[in-house]
Amino acid sequence: MFRTALRNVLAHKARLLMTVLAVMLGVAFVSGTLVFTSTISDAFRTSSQKSFDNVDVAVMPASPDEPGGTPAKNRLDGKALDSLARLPGAASVTGTANGFTGISDKDGKLIASGTNSRGSNYFPGKDGKDARYPLKQGKAPTGADQFALDAGTAAKGGYHVGDTVRISADGPVREQKLTGIFTTDDGRVAAGGSLALFDTRTAQKLFGLSGGYSEIDVQAAAGTSQAALQQAIDKALPKDSATTATGKELADTEAKAIEDNMAGMRTALLAFAAVALFVGIFLIANTFTMLVAQRTKELALMRAVGASRRQVTRSVLIEAFLVGAIAGVSGLVAGIGLAALLREVLNGFVAKFPEGPLVVSPSAAVAALGIGTVITVLAAWLPARRGAKVPPVAAMNSVHAVATTKSLLVRNTLGALVAGLGTASVLVATSVYDGDDTSKIMLGGGGMLLLVGVFILTPLLSRPLIALATPVLRAFGTSGLLARQNALRNPRRTATTASALMIGLTLITGMTVIAGSTQQGIDKLAVDALKADYTISMEGYTQLPTTAEKKVREVAGVTAVTPLREGMATIGTGAAAQQPTPLTGVDGAQFGSLVRPDISEGSLGTLRGDRILVDQDTATRNGWRAGSRLPVTFQDGKKSTLTVSGVYQGNQMLGGVYLDKRTLAPHQKDISDSKLLVKMAGGATDAHKDDLVEALGKNPAVTVADKKDVSSAIASMFTLLLNMLYGLLAMAVIVAVLGVINTLAMSVFERSQEIGMLRAIGLDRRGIKRMVRLESLVISLFGGVLGIGLGVFMGWAVGQLISAHLPTYELVLPWARMGIFLGLAALVGVLAALWPAFRAARLNMLAAIKAE
């Protein structure tokens, strides 16, 4: 039986090659994903370990990010540095002063993303060099107008030693002379960030450290362990003034963070691979179904000479195992190449990864081989079992095993039950959703059941849907009518072929509907919630200086401005007073002309004195109502009483507790603004935006956004996910094309005698080609229509859940894109038919007529 299986594999090389390709694609993405993420994780881990080579113990302020905290807890002063330098067991100490620093390119744009744009200090040792930052060109900065830049950012900006560069470190734009270019193992720089270095005194001034440090790194003397040094440092420093961590702890923490970040990317890429494999299952099952059907007489003869059903099934499964093993090995090789290609592409267009070798873990190899063989064997099991059940005498009398009425009835009944259960689950989930996970699980499970149910029902659905194409096919004469009959001749095969496209289009159509509807909902939310024309903020979650508000007010055409000034306080009594509540200080006189909150109790009025505006969730959680008088303890310890003037429905634009900035200011040590809301006469225009940018000094780190920009930023997550799913669709389309080619090629083989007769009675080669192409087109469009219909339904269902959190959400059907998707399905059909149509037209009619 093994020799028989091997002979069959070798006898159908071209046919099984497409099956191998289908499995190989999915396996390549699985193994490529594992190799890529392992490679990047290992590179970042190695890079992060290098950055801690000279750090045995890191000393950090007790609470560096606490707003309004005391200087002793927000920074480490020079005395701490001196005391640590004198500590027994400490070989050297390095003081670090860092913060946000945006680097402008020559067009005035920020080179790196805000969160990865950083600045620090060059801290020379006894040899006059800082071992963390080896200089590649030039010299270290020594004056207030000098700085050094990492080599990657310098290359991106086209900067050289001696250039004057516009930077933003303390709010306003500064022009600094570039004195040096250095290399670094900093992981954030390797990930596409930027790092600027200043002399220590300049860095301390820029980052508001008043002669102190944001971190002190200590290197142990020979013979002193990291644990012993950490214990000595803890004893030497005042209690509650600092926290410490060993270099190993920091490296492990960063490695864990890198692994967590890679997990998200790994999951997304594996999801792509899973869909490709899922679609590939249909192709494999279809291929083996037709192979078994074509070898019915051969299998019957084996049964007649003594082979048992189990042996016949085993021979087909051995054949599948060999195909799967070949696909697994080739998929692993292709996956390694894909990982290398993906790293180079992302290095060139998205982010720069640290250098490192490709890491092919044993799990990647096992996964490739295991998935390739298991998926293929499982997909071939049902056709093998079905073929073995055919009685030898019946099989010898007919090449084609016709499905019985009973089997079709059972299939249709099962499909109707599964699809009905899935639809009911989806409808129940959308009607009872109240924010819990149960409804989400019901919706996801119901969607899967519906997809499986429709797949089971596709043979039944194929007849009425393909019948709708009859008037169009008649226009092509005999070729069109024959194409319709061929598509309907074997409904199961047609359904399995169309299902590959159906699954891909269901996913992409559903996500397109959700993304478009969400985007419109957020656009409407921005219009409904904001009267302001512009929102001004800083990159990197840094604060705007208070001078920004003054500069904006001086711009011609500005009619109203309010800052959003963050603070903290404990409000109320009982449980509410146990946790600090975020506050937002605004210009109470102009706030009402810049926002449009959905007031549910009380009124907005004019925020002044002790009046506050509270979102509904906070009010409900604490039992507050309009008119409630609440005791408050501000961050400086002073107490007062606040009165709730209104309660509003919070959303992505507005949330929290608002009060007049004049009420909040006396209790704040450092005053700065997270955002500015601006309204201008004549609304948002390019000219007004240019005026604001000019007034703020053309600062590359300042973002001036209109309502459309704000809503786009909120919806960017959906846009990113949608673009990823378009990549997934491309994979599904490739597998679907292989499936259609395979189906048509085998269909042509089965109908060789029939095609020979058609040629003999007058149908020319062009007519044969047209018949095969139209058959392929009908099958592809059938899958496309089913996929788009299911996608719209699932998009509507998911939208019902989103609308519970986004009141302005409304269903938007992207007719143009759905038309493109349907056109894509048609293109798949046309392309997939090229080779089978050519092969059918080239058949020798006499040889075909004599074929069995």
Side-chain angles (χ1 to χ4, degrees):
M1 300 307 293
F2 178 79
R3 288 196 298 272
T4 301
L6 184 60
R7 181 181 62 81
N8 284 323
V9 170
L10 299 176
H12 305 98
K13 300 182 186 69
R15 216 171 296 157
L16 291 177
L17 175 62
M18 287 181 285
T19 304
V20 170
L21 286 174
V23 183
M24 187 192 74
L25 277 175
V27 171
F29 270 87
V30 171
S31 58
T33 295
L34 295 174
V35 171
F36 172 74
T37 53
S38 296
T39 298
I40 300 304
S41 295
D42 183 73
F44 273 116
R45 191 178 298 111
T46 302
S47 176
S48 67
Q49 287 173 348
K50 285 181 181 178
S51 64
F52 294 117
D53 282 348
N54 297 321
V55 180
D56 288 310
V57 178
V59 184
M60 294 153 286
S63 53
D65 299 321
E66 182 181 324
T70 61
K73 290 189 177 183
N74 282 339
R75 61 182 174 83
L76 299 165
D77 58 24
K79 293 180 181 179
L81 183 74
D82 294 337
S83 64
L84 291 176
R86 296 191 298 268
L87 194 69
S92 64
V93 295
T94 302
T96 301
N98 53 34
F100 170 80
T101 301
I103 307 296
S104 171
D105 63 16
K106 293 182 179 180
D107 295 325
K109 305 292 185 182
L110 199 65
I111 291 181
S113 65
T115 53
N116 286 330
S117 299
R118 297 172 53 252
S120 189
N121 64 313
Y122 189 88
F123 195 91
K126 294 178 181 179
D127 59 355
K129 298 179 181 179
D130 190 332
R132 301 172 299 175
Y133 310 115
L135 285 167
K136 184 179 180 182
Q137 299 174 25
K139 61 180 182 178
T142 56
D145 63 341
Q146 299 179 358
F147 86 115
L149 190 60
D150 72 271
T153 305
K156 290 177 188 175
Y159 292 125
H160 304 280
V161 172
D163 288 348
T164 298
V165 182
R166 290 166 57 84
I167 69 171
S168 174
D170 57 348
V173 175
R174 303 167 58 91
E175 292 193 347
Q176 303 276 130
K177 183 179 180 181
L178 182 61
T179 62
I181 295 175
F182 61 91
T183 58
T184 176
D185 292 321
D186 190 305
R188 280 175 287 193
V189 175
S194 65
L195 179 62
L197 297 180
F198 309 91
D199 67 85
T200 299
R201 182 175 296 180
T202 301
Q204 289 170 334
K205 181 179 178 182
L206 289 178
F207 306 132
L209 293 169
S210 304
Y213 300 94
S214 49
E215 182 178 320
I216 297 175
D217 298 329
V218 186
Q219 191 170 12
T224 303
S225 67
Q226 290 187 350
L229 181 60
Q230 183 183 29
Q231 188 175 13
I233 291 173
D234 288 338
K235 290 180 180 179
L237 294 176
K239 293 182 178 179
D240 300 328
S241 66
T243 60
T244 59
T246 65
K248 184 180 184 306
E249 291 171 344
L250 292 173
D252 291 345
T253 300
E254 189 155 332
K256 178 65 167 57
I258 291 169
E259 188 64 28
D260 291 342
N261 290 334
M262 286 292 106
M265 181 183 293
R266 185 185 297 115
T267 300
L269 293 174
L270 286 176
F272 292 180
V275 172
L277 286 170
F278 187 54
V279 174
I281 288 173
F282 296 105
L283 172 59
I284 300 164
N286 209 16
T287 300
F288 277 93
T289 297
M290 289 183 284
L291 285 175
V292 169
Q294 290 173 9
R295 287 159 40 203
T296 303
K297 281 190 175 182
E298 176 189 326
L299 296 177
L301 182 60
M302 292 172 61
R303 291 284 311 283
V305 297
S308 66
R309 287 183 177 180
R310 181 175 296 178
Q311 287 178 309
V312 170
T313 302
R314 190 182 303 149
S315 71
V316 177
L317 293 182
I318 291 173
E319 184 178 339
F321 177 83
L322 294 174
V323 171
I326 295 170
V329 172
S330 56
L332 176 60
V333 174
I336 295 171
L338 182 65
L341 177 64
L342 187 59
R343 183 173 66 172
E344 292 303 316
V345 169
L346 292 180
N347 262 334
F349 297 99
V350 180
K352 188 177 186 307
F353 299 114
E355 294 295 328
L358 283 173
V359 178
V360 184
S361 63
S363 61
V366 171
L369 295 174
I371 290 172
T373 53
V374 170
I375 288 291
T376 310
V377 170
L378 287 178
W381 176 76
L382 190 59
R385 185 169 174 269
R386 188 185 300 130
K389 281 186 174 182
V390 178
V393 176
M396 288 180 180
N397 289 332
S398 176
V399 174
H400 304 293
V402 180
T404 64
T405 303
K406 180 181 177 181
S407 68
L408 291 175
L409 179 62
V410 170
R411 177 176 182 139
N412 293 337
T413 302
L414 178 62
L417 288 174
V418 174
L421 182 61
T423 304
S425 179
V426 170
L427 294 177
V428 170
T430 57
S431 61
V432 302
Y433 178 65
D434 59 358
D436 62 337
D437 291 335
T438 303
S439 295
K440 296 176 185 177
I441 295 172
M442 286 184 64
L443 179 64
M448 288 298 297
L449 286 175
L450 177 59
L451 196 62
V452 172
V454 171
F455 166 68
I456 297 173
L457 285 172
T458 40
L460 179 65
L461 297 173
S462 63
R463 290 189 176 277
L465 288 178
I466 292 177
L468 294 175
T470 301
V472 178
L473 293 173
R474 279 187 182 142
F476 293 94
T478 303
S479 296
L481 294 177
L482 288 172
R484 175 183 176 277
Q485 292 174 5
N486 290 333
L488 293 175
R489 176 181 296 179
N490 192 331
R492 284 180 173 174
R493 184 171 62 198
T494 297
T496 306
T497 305
S499 295
L501 267 179
M502 179 188 77
I503 294 167
L505 285 176
T506 296
L507 291 173
I508 198 63
T509 302
M511 281 305 303
T512 302
V513 169
I514 294 167
S517 302
T518 302
Q519 179 68 66
Q520 180 158 314
I522 293 174
D523 289 344
K524 189 172 186 298
L525 179 65
V527 172
D528 290 349
L530 295 179
K531 296 179 185 177
D533 297 313
Y534 294 102
T535 299
I536 300 175
S537 60
M538 286 280 288
E539 292 279 353
Y541 304 106
T542 53
Q543 301 290 301
L544 287 162
T546 52
T547 54
E549 179 185 356
K550 181 180 178 181
K551 291 178 180 179
V552 168
R553 288 187 183 277
E554 294 172 352
V555 175
V558 171
T559 59
V561 178
T562 184
L564 301 183
R565 188 166 297 168
E566 298 173 353
M568 299 289 288
T570 54
I571 304 176
T573 58
Q578 302 302 315
Q579 293 294 332
T581 299
L583 303 176
T584 303
V586 298
D587 186 323
Q590 297 190 337
F591 188 59
S593 61
L594 292 161
V595 298
R596 193 182 289 109
D598 182 8
I599 302 293
S600 55
E601 283 186 55
S603 63
L604 171 57
T606 300
L607 290 180
R608 62 180 183 275
D610 67 346
R611 294 165 62 89
I612 61 173
L613 189 67
V614 182
D615 69 280
Q616 185 68 63
D617 289 344
T618 302
T620 302
R621 185 170 60 249
N622 298 312
W624 302 342
R625 301 183 60 84
S628 296
R629 290 183 59 78
L630 308 171
V632 58
T633 302
F634 290 101
Q635 205 159 6
D636 61 355
K638 294 183 179 179
K639 300 180 183 295
S640 184
T641 302
L642 299 176
T643 302
V644 179
S645 64
V647 178
Y648 68 97
Q649 297 292 337
N651 52 48
Q652 287 84 351
M653 301 291 176
L654 298 173
V657 178
Y658 293 95
L659 76 166
D660 189 78
K661 64 178 181 177
R662 298 172 187 83
T663 304
L664 182 62
H667 308 287
Q668 292 183 295
K669 178 173 65 70
D670 296 318
I671 296 178
S672 57
D673 304 324
S674 60
K675 290 181 182 179
L676 292 176
L677 301 181
V678 183
K679 189 172 180 61
M680 305 192 74
T685 65
D686 291 341
H688 283 159
K689 188 172 185 176
D690 291 341
D691 290 342
L692 291 172
V693 171
E694 185 73 31
L696 294 167
K698 294 184 178 179
N699 192 325
V702 173
T703 300
V704 179
D706 57 23
K707 293 177 185 178
K708 184 177 180 181
D709 297 330
V710 172
S711 61
S712 297
I714 297 175
S716 60
M717 179 183 66
F718 296 97
T719 304
L720 177 62
L721 183 59
L722 185 62
N723 290 336
M724 292 171 67
L725 279 172
Y726 282 142
L728 183 151
L729 175 64
M731 286 175 50
V733 167
I734 292 173
V735 178
V737 168
L738 292 175
V740 178
I741 293 174
N742 220 9
T743 298
L744 292 174
M746 292 188 179
S747 179
V748 167
F749 177 81
E750 285 181 358
R751 305 200 310 263
S752 296
Q753 192 176 58
E754 175 187 318
I755 291 172
M757 290 296 296
L758 289 172
R759 290 288 314 284
I761 62 177
L763 190 63
D764 60 9
R765 289 182 173 179
R766 181 177 297 178
I768 294 292
K769 287 182 179 180
R770 186 182 299 121
M771 176 187 72
V772 176
R773 288 171 185 162
L774 289 173
E775 179 184 351
S776 175
L777 186 63
V778 166
I779 293 173
S780 298
L781 287 175
F782 169 55
V785 169
L786 283 181
I788 291 173
L790 282 172
V792 169
F793 176 72
M794 291 307 300
W796 165 83
V798 174
Q800 294 298 108
L801 271 60
I802 294 175
S803 62
H805 302 284
L806 183 63
T808 53
Y809 181 94
E810 57 184 39
L811 182 67
V812 176
L813 294 181
W815 295 106
R817 291 200 180 189
M818 289 193 295
I820 292 173
F821 297 155
L822 196 60
L824 181 63
L827 181 63
V828 167
V830 172
L831 294 177
L834 292 177
W835 179 63
F838 175 79
R839 182 182 176 189
R842 301 296 297 179
L843 283 175
N844 182 293
M845 68 178 74
L846 295 179
I849 291 172
K850 292 188 294 181
E852 293 187 0

